[in-house]
Amino acid sequence: MESYEPERLSSAQLAAMRRSLTSGRGALTRRSLLRASGTGALALGGMATLGACGIPPAKRADAGAAFDDHSAKEKEVTFSNWTEYMDVSEDEKGRPTLEAFTRRTGIRVRYTEDINDNVEFFGKIKPQLAAGQNTGRDLICVTDWLAARIIRLGWAQKLDPSNLPHAFANVSAQFRTPDWDPGRAYSYPWTGIPTVIAYNVKATGGRKVDSVTQLLDDPKLKGRVSFLSEMRDTVGMTLLDQGRDPGKFTDTDFDGAIGRLQKAVDKKQIRRFTGNDYTADLSKGDIAACVGWAGDIIQLQADNPDIRFAIPAAGYITSSDNLLVPAQARHKTNAEKLIDYYYEPPVAAQLAAYINYVCPVDGVREELARIDESMASNTLILPDKEMAAKSRSFRSLSTKEETAYEEKFAKLIGA
C-alpha cells in the first residue's frame, strides 16, 4: 500500500500537466471525451499541497476496510460524476435511468455533475479522505490513473460481490482485470476511452491508413501526420507497433519507442504533437492521418464523411473512467446496487445511446439496436470481439518512472 507523501514535480511533469489541461484531455468537454491524465497532474493537484494542509502524509491503517453502512435505514445515495455523462429526458428536466432506479428500489439518488477534471476533483476530496472523514459522496467516477492511486492509498472501499451480480457477470473482458485492480475488487468501469488511428480519406487520396508504421514511414504522408501530446497514448501506440505490451514494458522498451518517434521527427514525417486541436486540421485535410481519440472521431464523422478510423492489427490503447465507493461513505450497499443496475444490458444500452462512449457491458448490442441500429454497429461504442481483443492498457507507473518518462517525452515533442 502506498504512502501519501508530498512529491516534487519535475519541469517535464509540470509541462505534461499544462498540456493536458490546456490542449489535451483536460481541455476537452465531456462530449469531446477525455481529461487530464498522469500522476504528475495528481501530484500538483493533491500531493504537493497536502502537507501544507496539516494532514499527516501516511496511508490509513484500515485501508480498504468496510465502514459503517447506513443504507438499510437511509434510502439514498450520492453520486458525483462528469458533466454530460448521464442520460437526460427530451425536455431536459429528468434523468430517465436514475429515476427508474429510484422507482424500482426506493433509493433516492443525489446526482451531481461536480467533476470537471481529475486533478480539481481530487483536490476537493483529498483532505477528508486523508483524515478518515466522509467526503459526502457514496459513489465517484474517476479516470483509471486516479482510481489506481485512490485504491493504493486505501481510500476506496472493497466492494461486496453479492451486491454486484450483473456487474460481475457482464463486465467486458477487456475491462475485467486492470493491473491496478485485478478482478475489479474495488471498482467497475463506467466507460472506455479508445485511442485509434484516424485519417481523412480525401487527403490520403483514397488510401487507408491503419498502422503506426504507416504514420511514421509512408513518404506520401510526410509532413501531414500528427501524434498526441499525451505520453501514454503516443508511446503506448508506438510500443504496440513495435510488438511490445504497454502493460508490461521495460525502460529499454520505452526508450526504443521514443527513439522510433524521434527518427520520424528528425525526417519531418511528423508535423506536430497535438492535444484535441488536431480535429480541425484533420477535418480540413491539413493533417492526412493521425493518432486520435475515438470520441472526437465519432463527432467528426457526423459532419465530414471523409473522416475514417482504423484499429491497427498490432492493437490500440484504451483507458477508462471508473466507479468507486470512497472510504467512510455512508451508503455503500446503495452505491453497489446503483453500480449493478448500470450493468443490466437494457439500462446500459439506454445510457450508451445517450453518451456515445465505449460501453463496458457485455450483452448490450441487441438492446442498443432497439434504440438505434447505427449505434449498435459502431465499434467505437460497442467494440466487436476482434476489436476488443486488440485493446491494451498502459501500465501503472511509479513516481520515478513517471518523472523519467515525461522528461524523455517532453524532449521528443519539444515541450
Side-chain angles (χ1 to χ4, degrees), residues 195-211 215 278-279 282-285 287-312 378-380:
T195 301
V196 299
I197 290 178
Y199 61 101
N200 185 319
V201 71
K202 184 176 181 180
T204 65
R207 293 183 305 118
K208 182 178 183 180
V209 180
D210 61 3
S211 72
L215 293 176
Y278 71 89
T279 56
L282 181 63
S283 189
K284 289 186 295 184
I287 291 293
C290 64
V291 170
W293 293 313
D296 291 339
I297 308 312
I298 293 174
Q299 294 173 59
L300 290 176
Q301 287 180 324
D303 298 318
N304 187 341
D306 293 328
I307 303 301
R308 309 288 170 83
F309 77 92
I311 304 300
N378 189 333
T379 55
L380 293 182

Side-chain angles (χ1 to χ4, degrees), residues 4 43 58 89 100 110 229 273 296 306 317 358 363 382 386 390 398:
Y4 191 72
S89 59
R110 298 176 184 270
S229 58
F273 294 86
D296 291 339
D306 293 328
I317 294 293
V358 170
L382 289 184
E386 181 181 2
K390 295 179 180 179
S398 68

Side-chain angles (χ1 to χ4, degrees), residues 75-387:
K75 294 295 185 180
E76 62 184 73
V77 60
T78 301
F79 182 9
S80 284
N81 206 348
W82 301 78
T83 58
E84 298 189 52
Y85 229 11
M86 181 64 70
D87 56 304
V88 176
S89 59
E90 290 186 10
D91 62 7
E92 299 186 353
K93 294 181 179 180
R95 301 188 181 280
T97 56
L98 287 176
E99 291 163 2
F101 173 77
T102 297
R103 288 193 299 271
R104 181 198 296 183
T105 64
I107 299 170
R108 182 165 62 97
V109 182
R110 298 176 184 270
Y111 184 77
T112 57
E113 296 178 328
D114 61 344
I115 305 180
N116 295 308
D117 69 67
N118 288 291
V119 177
E120 179 187 54
F121 182 68
F122 187 70
K124 292 179 183 179
I125 65 175
K126 72 182 189 296
Q128 293 95 334
L129 290 171
Q133 299 171 353
N134 182 9
T135 66
R137 299 165 176 87
D138 303 303
L139 192 63
I140 61 175
C141 183
V142 294
T143 305
D144 42 20
W145 65 266
L146 180 53
R149 178 59 60 91
I150 290 173
I151 291 169
R152 288 199 302 270
L153 288 167
W155 293 347
Q157 295 195 50
K158 193 169 185 178
L159 302 174
D160 183 350
S162 68
N163 292 326
L164 297 156
H166 296 98
F168 182 81
N170 295 334
V171 63
S172 299
Q174 73 181 95
F175 297 104
R176 189 173 287 274
T177 56
D179 67 348
W180 47 268
D181 187 17
R184 292 290 180 181
Y186 293 88
S187 69
Y188 272 92
W190 182 251
T191 55
I193 306 167
T195 301
V196 299
I197 290 178
Y199 61 101
N200 185 319
V201 71
K202 184 176 181 180
T204 65
R207 293 183 305 118
K208 182 178 183 180
V209 180
D210 61 3
S211 72
V212 170
T213 292
Q214 214 172 337
L215 293 176
L216 295 177
D217 293 337
D218 188 341
K220 293 182 180 179
L221 297 176
K222 184 175 181 178
R224 297 189 298 151
V225 168
S226 71
F227 279 73
L228 293 167
S229 58
E230 295 284 353
M231 182 262 288
R232 287 165 175 76
D233 297 299
T234 286
V235 174
M237 293 290 281
T238 305
L239 284 167
L240 283 167
D241 190 71
Q242 294 180 307
R244 302 293 187 264
D245 184 349
K248 300 177 181 178
F249 67 90
T250 64
D251 288 349
T252 300
D253 295 333
F254 184 90
D255 290 344
I258 292 291
R260 180 82 175 87
L261 290 160
Q262 186 65 59
K263 289 180 181 178
V265 170
D266 293 343
K267 67 182 182 182
K268 302 187 185 306
Q269 178 77 10
I270 297 176
R271 180 169 181 157
R272 62 192 182 105
F273 294 86
T274 76
N276 66 308
D277 50 325
Y278 71 89
T279 56
D281 286 344
L282 181 63
S283 189
K284 289 186 295 184
D286 294 340
I287 291 293
C290 64
V291 170
W293 293 313
D296 291 339
I297 308 312
I298 293 174
Q299 294 173 59
L300 290 176
Q301 287 180 324
D303 298 318
N304 187 341
D306 293 328
I307 303 301
R308 309 288 170 83
F309 77 92
I311 304 300
Y316 66 101
I317 294 293
T318 300
S319 56
S320 58
D321 283 336
N322 306 272
L323 301 171
L324 293 87
V325 178
Q328 297 291 354
R330 285 182 64 88
H331 309 108
K332 176 176 178 284
T333 298
N334 291 345
E336 290 167 339
K337 289 179 179 179
L338 186 58
I339 294 172
D340 196 61
Y341 170 73
Y342 279 101
Y343 273 80
E344 296 179 20
V347 180
Q350 190 172 345
L351 179 67
Y354 184 84
I355 66 175
N356 296 168
Y357 286 76
V358 170
C359 180
V361 182
D362 279 342
V364 168
R365 191 173 307 278
E366 183 176 337
E367 297 290 343
L368 188 55
R370 293 191 180 103
I371 300 171
D372 188 323
E373 182 62 46
S374 65
M375 289 185 182
S377 60
N378 189 333
T379 55
L380 293 182
I381 297 175
L382 289 184
D384 56 23
K385 288 184 179 180
E386 181 181 2
M387 180 173 170

